[in-house]
Amino acid sequence: MAEVQENSGSKTGKSKQKKMTVRVDFTPMVDMNMLLITFFMLCTTLSKPQTMEISMPAKDNVTEENQSLVKASQAITLLLAGDDKIYYYEGEPNYKDYSSLKQTSYGADGLRAVLMQKNADAVNKVNALKQRKVNLEITDEQYKEEVSEIRNAKGTPTVIIKATDDASYENLVSALDEMLICNIGKYVITDIADGDNFLMENFEKKGELSRNLAE
């Protein structure tokens, strides 16, 4: 609380300016701050870190036989290049036809649209499952378990992500975000090959490299 003390001056009767001494007591303010801090600590929860779990297979378990299990019709390869460019091709690469490589963007109407179309069946099932969760028909644990089964079910696409040295970490993170948004359960990050660099260069040159090889 504030306390004001007045000093009227000397006793001679001469008019002088009154002096005022102000003293502010901050004790009630400190008590109020402590009460507010205690209130918010009890009534709020700590924010959980938003992370993405990536399960990578051990190198000693990856054999040529296991690699052949991925059907070409279910595989899609993403090539992350510099200047925020991203290319993709489905199935096996076609080095003779430069148009088999497609260029897209990291926006919702780019990579996301491609993956949503490729994984439409799983996306629809997960959306239906979300509605059941909202209606309290299933628990959170049941939801997570069933979503995992849907994402990794037979017939869902496998995405292979390859980044060049010119690609940024932001590009890689954006691609990984799309895996979660589009309910892609099977994806891997691997090194880019010389053939992938050929595909991108041949695409930029409109098939000039493949024509030279044919000659």
Side-chain angles (χ1 to χ4, degrees):
M1 301 295 290
E3 180 181 342
V4 179
Q5 297 178 352
E6 296 185 359
N7 187 356
S8 59
S10 64
K11 300 180 180 179
T12 58
K14 293 182 180 180
S15 176
K16 289 187 178 181
Q17 186 177 2
K18 293 182 178 180
K19 294 182 179 180
M20 301 177 65
T21 302
V22 180
R23 186 176 67 86
V24 180
D25 186 6
F26 286 100
T27 303
M29 183 66 70
V30 174
D31 294 339
M32 184 179 67
N33 288 337
M34 292 300 297
L35 289 173
L36 288 174
I37 292 173
T38 304
F39 172 79
F40 287 117
M41 288 179 63
L42 295 176
C43 297
T44 59
T45 56
L46 298 176
S47 60
K48 297 180 179 180
Q50 300 296 323
T51 60
M52 177 184 296
E53 295 183 0
I54 302 179
S55 299
M56 303 293 289
K59 290 185 178 181
D60 53 355
N61 292 331
V62 180
T63 62
E64 187 174 335
E65 181 180 358
N66 291 332
Q67 291 178 352
S68 65
L69 295 177
V70 179
K71 292 183 179 180
S73 60
Q74 298 172 355
I76 178 170
T77 302
L78 306 181
L79 304 179
L80 283 55
D83 298 327
D84 295 331
K85 292 182 179 180
I86 180 171
Y87 307 89
Y88 72 94
Y89 61 86
E90 299 184 26
E92 296 290 339
N94 188 346
Y95 300 105
K96 297 181 179 179
D97 183 11
Y98 79 93
S99 62
S100 62
L101 185 69
K102 309 295 182 183
Q103 184 175 3
T104 185
S105 65
Y106 290 96
D109 57 344
L111 177 60
R112 186 176 305 176
V114 173
L115 296 178
M116 284 288 190
Q117 181 180 6
K118 190 76 175 177
N119 200 32
D121 185 53
V123 170
N124 293 333
K125 290 180 179 179
V126 171
N127 290 337
L129 203 60
K130 286 181 180 178
Q131 189 59 45
R132 292 183 59 194
K133 179 185 174 184
V134 172
N135 297 337
L136 302 179
E137 297 178 6
I138 57 176
T139 63
D140 290 342
E141 293 182 358
Q142 290 175 327
Y143 171 78
K144 293 178 181 179
E145 183 178 350
E146 293 189 33
V147 165
S148 179
E149 292 178 357
I150 293 174
R151 290 176 176 174
N152 295 280
K154 185 178 180 180
T156 55
T158 299
V159 180
I160 303 170
I161 304 174
K162 300 181 179 182
T164 65
D165 294 337
D166 297 329
S168 64
Y169 284 104
E170 183 180 359
N171 296 149
L172 182 59
V173 171
S174 297
L176 291 176
D177 285 341
E178 296 303 326
M179 300 301 108
L180 183 62
I181 295 172
C182 300
N183 295 298
I184 302 294
K186 295 178 289 186
Y187 57 92
V188 63
I189 303 172
T190 186
D191 296 331
I192 197 163
D194 293 337
D196 301 317
N197 290 320
F198 174 85
L199 287 174
M200 289 184 288
E201 187 177 357
N202 192 40
F203 178 86
E204 294 295 336
K205 294 184 177 181
K206 306 297 182 182
E208 180 181 344
L209 297 181
S210 57
R211 287 193 295 270
N212 292 337
L213 289 176
E215 294 175 358

